[in-house]
Amino acid sequence: MDSSDSRDRLIPIVIGLVVLFAPVLILALTLEVLILTGDLVLGELTLLVLLELYLLDLVAFVVLAYVIYRLTLWLVEHRSLDSPDELLESGLTGSNDDTDDEEDDR
């Protein structure tokens, strides 16, 4: 088994776990803040309320992640250079021109 195959399998698993458990962490932080401020008493919570809060956090997290993904794609597609290779070449060309000028001055 190649190490790149295991990495390729691991990435979707990690993304899935983050999508599932990030709202749980957000929910836990929200509940903790509400408890500390006195706006919520643990005895008033039911399993249904926790499930509703989790689903709302999950939907909000997925929508936010999708918006960030689409924004990133739009920014990559509409930057001034057409490809990452051009960026690399322009960086290398610029650095080579500077070093050639310094060598000519010596």
Side-chain angles (χ1 to χ4, degrees), residues 4-104:
S4 64
D5 290 340
S6 61
R7 285 186 205 146
D8 290 341
R9 291 180 186 169
L10 184 65
I11 291 172
I13 292 171
V14 169
I15 291 172
L17 289 174
V18 167
V19 166
L20 284 177
F21 291 117
V24 172
L25 293 175
I26 294 169
L27 179 62
L29 289 173
T30 304
L31 291 175
E32 186 63 31
V33 168
L34 289 173
I35 290 170
L36 288 175
T37 60
D39 293 335
L40 180 69
V41 178
L42 280 178
E44 297 174 0
L45 286 178
T46 63
L47 184 59
L48 183 62
V49 170
L50 286 175
L51 183 62
E52 289 174 353
L53 287 173
Y54 171 75
L55 291 176
L56 287 172
D57 281 347
L58 180 64
V59 168
F61 182 77
V62 169
V63 167
L64 180 65
Y66 180 74
V67 168
I68 291 171
Y69 167 74
R70 294 302 297 177
L71 181 63
T72 304
L73 281 180
W74 182 82
L75 288 173
V76 167
E77 290 173 356
H78 291 91
R79 66 174 188 266
S80 61
L81 297 175
D82 291 334
S83 70
D85 294 333
E86 288 182 17
L87 179 63
L88 184 59
E89 288 173 6
S90 67
L92 291 176
T93 304
S95 65
N96 287 342
D97 290 340
D98 293 341
T99 55
D100 291 340
D101 293 339
E102 291 174 4
E103 290 175 4
D104 291 339

